[in-house]
Amino acid sequence: MSASAVFILDMKGKVLISRNYKGDVDTTEIDHFLPLLTQQEEEGLTCPLLSRGKVHFLWIKHSNLYLVALTMKNSNASLVYSFLYKLVEVFTEYFKELEEESIQDNFVVVYELLDELMDFGFPQTTDSQILQEYITQEGNKLEVTKLRVPNTVTNAVSWRSEGIKYKKNEVFIDVIESVNLLVNANGNVLSSDIVGSVKLKVMLSGMPELRLGLNDRVLFGLTGRDKGKSVVMEDVKFHQCVRLSRFENDRTISFIPPDGDSELMSYRINAHVKPLIWIESVIEKFSHSRVEIMVKAKGQFKKQSVANSVQISVPVPSDVDSPRFKTSVGSAKYVPEKNVVIWTIKSFPGGKEFLMRAHFGLPSVDKDELEGRPPITVKFEIPYFTVSGIQVRYMKIIEKSGYQALPWVRYITQSGDYQLRTNS
């Protein structure tokens, strides 16, 4: 079972929009939601699920709104929460920003969307691209013309319309990996992992079937191939278009793709990652006079690769003044509202070392409280490179008309939560 009713409330608990799908829950029960939540917050026990008698409140907060689903049954909580987050995604697609004002200004469209997104408490069409085919921003104009419900709503392939045509048939595949890394002050890697995603931009006519081949170690094991240049993917999540039964049986990623942009899959690789950009820092504080900072950055990736838009954020004491900088490459600036120096390097080739020196003045009176020292953070993007070694081995495109299509593949490695601690 799923939700009996869905409510959208403002921060004071006032109901802005509600939809009672099953009629088995009294709508006045929502009046108890905010008092229950306030009571839990006061006790420091905030929980995403609240209960009063036989009624359960499953809620999320977005901007200045609460989205609340009510049920009296033993519902699938993960399904309800997925639906609430999907609501946020669809409303944001329609209104750009989801907040109290956008709900009030578009309540007709909101009600129409709620009717299409869920039926008798069960999620239905939740793809915003399909919904936009027959629910438009001009809600009051919908009755003027006779609407034909798109085939996609009742189709087995609900994420793709029929009759799509392109003069040039192409598929663009982006393999994007984010590196999460935490290094302690002694230079030891405390934690590291890689979070990846495969994104598509599909410009194909008709209703094609695509098959994607990766250097998946499990697949290589099943087929008896050499496992040397393969990767082990964990926590793999797919777009609804992927045939999961095929993947579970023989690790084949087979699907009829959505038109345009979409995320085909995401994955995580739990691996010991060598820091791609290594930072060494020396921070000397001379009481009542100055702070001197020396930061050395080294690219520890392939020499033929180049990191773009590198930003190295170095924390400084909150009471410094009179900044002066000297850099071997790029530029440095002091951002007082964040108490950091940001060193920007547009192009950072692999194997190179660069240096930045900063000099700050200090007030003559010491601050009483001791300040912690946040870690140095690094942002970067390295095109044509994946840190895990994942590869697209092939992309087969099969369509009944037999046209030729071109697949294009691009690899990008970027920083995720990338931190290096400094000596206090």
Side-chain angles (χ1 to χ4, degrees), residues 61-101:
K61 183 181 176 184
H62 180 84
S63 185
N64 57 354
L65 298 171
Y66 291 111
L67 286 81
V68 188
L70 271 61
T71 181
M72 291 181 68
K73 305 291 184 181
N74 184 18
S75 297
N76 183 336
S78 61
L79 175 66
V80 177
Y81 286 118
S82 295
F83 176 76
L84 292 177
Y85 283 110
K86 197 67 185 179
L87 270 185
V88 172
E89 187 182 317
V90 170
F91 290 157
T92 305
E93 285 280 332
Y94 267 82
F95 315 132
K96 304 301 180 192
E97 295 289 336
L98 176 57
E99 52 190 29
E100 183 179 343
E101 187 178 350

Side-chain angles (χ1 to χ4, degrees), residues 316-350:
V316 297
S318 58
D319 54 350
V320 298
D321 55 32
S322 310
R324 296 203 310 270
F325 305 107
K326 186 177 180 181
T327 60
S328 60
V329 70
S331 62
K333 69 174 182 177
Y334 173 47
V335 185
E337 60 270 22
K338 295 183 179 178
N339 298 320
V340 293
V341 172
I342 297 180
W343 180 16
T344 304
I345 303 169
K346 286 185 178 178
S347 181
F348 196 136

Side-chain angles (χ1 to χ4, degrees), residues 396-413:
K396 293 180 181 176
I397 302 165
I398 305 158
E399 214 278 333
K400 60 184 179 183
S401 63
Y403 60 69
Q404 294 295 311
L406 296 170
W408 304 90
V409 184
R410 180 173 62 169
Y411 299 99
I412 300 171
T413 292

